[in-house]
Amino acid sequence: MGKCKLCGRGEAKIRLAYARLNLCRKCFTEKFFPNRVRRTVESYKMFPADASVAVAVSGGKDSAALLHSLREAFPAVQLVAVHLNLGIPEYSEAAERSVEALCRSLNVELKVYRLKDEEGFTIGDFKATKYGGKLCSVCGVVKRRRLGKIAAELKVDALVTGHNLDDTVESLMATFTGGDFQQLVRLKPVLPAQPPFPRKVKPFYRTPEREALLYAEILGLPFSRRKCPYLPGSRSLRGKRLLDLWEAEEPGFKYRMLAAFEKLIPLLEQAVPQPEYTYCRVCGLPSSQPVCADCRRIEALKGRKAA
Ligand code: AMP
Ligand code: FES
Ligand code: ZN
């Protein structure tokens, strides 16, 4: 690969085909990667340089890379890590251990919320309900609500998640082909606050998944490589594999998808208004329906337990 394109001295080890750039490990981890995170946060006005933010950390590579690079890019931002233990056998224990090791090594405050201890159920318990065939989507609903609530209690300026370029482009493809244009708009990098929930932002919106892994590996950040046992065969993994094939044939394809999406957002926002928000009559939190998605799932669970 020759010399690093940035410093001209180091041995290039990392090829970024979409940018025709070969970088040494040092320039990649110390300059290129955190600089892109900084530019993403600044250009979408995600939060100011002196904000306090809650970072949702799952224990995987993305959130490890996210927490580290945010600290590098925004030394004055007050970070608090939030982890949900979903009670998934082995997977959740390994995830919690990695998050603890990560936060200890970065000296970041950590809040852990254990679903089983706090609410008496785990994600696996939904197998016995009508939502059992779609555990990943139940899990998404459960995570969204609790992360929002914890962030609201912490009174932070923003809730930060580690959704990366590949996550977004895969969701774009799936949502677009499913024809759900209301949902498509919600893939934007910044979702406004919905009191009491703070705004939600994605600093890895322009960061490819492969690079988050490289960053975490090169820096030796603690993260768990375990895959969620409910994930195999899921739509998102298949979609990402297909997008990787496309990207290999046409470097830059994922970024072009993102650019097209950004042109589409204002048009969609005009043509497809978002649903009116009211409040869930069970939990009292914002919802587009009389009973929110979370409460409907919890009620299905209670029904099964009583039966
Ligand atoms: P996923 O939905 O698993 O692709 O995760 C997307 C993002 O959601 C991650 O990068 C984290 O920011 C957040 N997240 C996922 N799982 C958890 C968890 N168990 N605890 C806290 N945050 C999480
Ligand atoms: Fe939620 Fe696997 S982590 S279903
Ligand atoms: Zn509710």
Side-chain angles (χ1 to χ4, degrees):
M1 272 195 232
K3 294 290 175 200
C4 169
K5 194 87 164 267
L6 283 189
C7 66
R9 293 185 307 277
E11 213 47 61
K13 296 280 183 197
I14 297 163
R15 165 112 189 114
L16 307 177
Y18 58 82
R20 296 173 187 232
L21 205 57
N22 295 341
L23 300 178
C24 69
R25 292 198 177 103
K26 193 170 155 58
C27 285
F28 175 73
T29 52
E30 292 181 9
K31 293 185 192 148
F32 184 84
F33 193 96
N35 283 349
R36 180 174 48 201
V37 169
R38 188 182 309 112
R39 278 199 311 274
T40 306
V41 168
E42 288 172 355
S43 63
Y44 293 101
K45 299 188 168 51
M46 292 185 175
F47 49 79
D50 59 353
S52 74
V53 305
V55 186
V57 287
S58 66
K61 60 183 188 323
D62 294 306
S63 25
L66 178 66
L67 198 61
H68 187 282
S69 58
L70 279 178
R71 227 200 32 186
E72 295 298 302
F74 295 97
V77 164
Q78 207 183 322
L79 299 171
V80 47
V82 178
H83 176 67
L84 303 177
N85 181 318
L86 303 159
I88 300 169
E90 293 175 30
Y91 170 77
S92 291
E93 287 113 53
E96 189 180 324
R97 275 197 302 276
S98 302
V99 167
E100 273 171 2
L102 176 73
C103 291
R104 213 178 310 120
S105 73
L106 299 182
N107 202 16
V108 170
E109 184 193 351
L110 167 65
K111 297 257 179 258
V112 177
Y113 182 96
R114 296 186 190 90
L115 207 51
K116 181 81 185 168
D117 296 349
E118 301 282 343
E119 300 180 58
F121 67 86
T122 66
I123 295 298
D125 292 342
F126 286 95
K127 275 187 210 153
T129 71
K130 63 176 172 181
Y131 299 104
K134 289 186 173 175
L135 282 187
C136 278
S137 94
V138 177
C139 182
V141 172
V142 167
K143 285 194 288 206
R144 232 185 340 269
R145 265 283 132 128
R146 282 143 195 87
L147 288 172
K149 277 205 242 180
I150 297 168
E153 282 161 19
L154 290 169
K155 296 191 172 28
V156 287
D157 300 307
L159 169 63
V160 173
T161 61
H163 291 98
N164 58 42
L165 173 70
D166 300 57
D167 294 325
T168 303
V169 175
E170 188 281 325
S171 299
L172 268 179
M173 285 290 228
T175 315
F176 182 76
T177 48
D180 186 348
F181 298 115
Q182 257 181 358
Q183 189 56 32
L184 199 66
V185 175
R186 298 191 57 77
L187 296 173
K188 289 190 302 188
V190 175
L191 288 178
Q194 239 176 35
F197 303 138
R199 59 178 20 212
K200 284 203 293 195
V201 303
K202 301 181 206 168
F204 273 5
Y205 184 65
R206 305 183 61 79
T207 296
E209 188 157 313
R210 162 182 175 256
E211 292 174 39
L213 174 64
L214 278 172
Y215 185 84
E217 282 181 340
I218 294 170
L219 293 175
L221 303 177
F223 70 91
S224 169
R225 289 178 191 268
R226 278 180 200 257
K227 293 275 170 257
C228 169
Y230 304 139
L231 200 59
S234 86
R235 179 214 76 196
S236 67
L237 281 186
R238 201 176 56 236
K240 281 184 183 174
R241 266 200 309 275
L242 294 172
L243 285 169
D244 282 342
L245 292 176
W246 204 321
E247 179 75 25
E249 290 285 325
E250 268 188 50
F253 172 75
K254 293 175 191 173
Y255 282 118
R256 284 194 290 280
M257 282 282 294
L258 213 58
F261 172 55
E262 303 214 320
K263 284 190 194 157
L264 200 59
I265 295 174
L267 304 176
L268 279 177
E269 281 182 322
Q270 276 199 338
V272 194
Q274 284 293 303
E276 286 289 315
Y277 274 89
T278 56
Y279 292 91
C280 167
R281 65 166 183 255
V282 179
C283 67
L285 291 167
S287 166
S288 58
Q289 302 197 21
V291 177
C292 74
D294 190 71
C295 288
R296 274 182 276 140
R297 280 154 188 78
I298 304 293
E299 280 182 1
L301 199 58
K302 282 187 192 151
R304 292 299 305 188
K305 279 190 176 160

